[in-house]
Amino acid sequence: MITKSTTRIHAQTTPVMKERFRQRLVSNIQRFIGADHKEIDQRIEELDREWSVERAVEVEAPAMIGIVTALGLLQNK
């Protein structure tokens, strides 16, 4: 049975890293509690760009694997 990725990630993350993530989360929340709309909007734009890069990598990796596999199959004939 395949475990959920959130469960698997939690189980394989060290307590030190979990604490670092928690501290960063708390710090980010505190930072933006008193922030003005402009600063919040800028952060949202930054996150959108980061997520766009992640999505591109997620699409590119399988595509490259497919291309390399196809080239390998064609080369071996």
Side-chain angles (χ1 to χ4, degrees):
M1 179 174 166
I2 298 175
T3 60
K4 293 181 183 179
S5 61
T6 54
T7 304
R8 186 174 61 245
I9 290 168
H10 182 74
Q12 295 180 8
T13 304
T14 66
V16 171
M17 290 305 298
K18 289 178 191 175
E19 181 59 19
R20 284 186 193 166
F21 293 143
R22 190 194 69 73
Q23 288 175 355
R24 186 171 180 190
L25 175 64
V26 169
S27 173
N28 284 337
I29 290 170
Q30 291 173 341
R31 175 179 164 203
F32 288 103
I33 283 177
D36 61 12
H37 289 290
K38 183 178 178 181
E39 188 176 2
I40 293 171
D41 288 343
Q42 287 173 341
R43 181 61 181 143
I44 290 171
E45 288 176 15
E46 289 173 10
L47 291 172
D48 281 341
R49 285 190 298 275
E50 288 176 18
W51 291 336
S52 293
V53 169
E54 287 180 25
R55 284 190 296 267
V57 169
E58 288 174 358
V59 169
E60 184 179 329
M64 293 303 291
I65 291 169
I67 290 169
V68 169
T69 301
L71 289 173
L73 291 173
L74 292 173
Q75 189 72 11
N76 287 329
K77 288 190 174 202

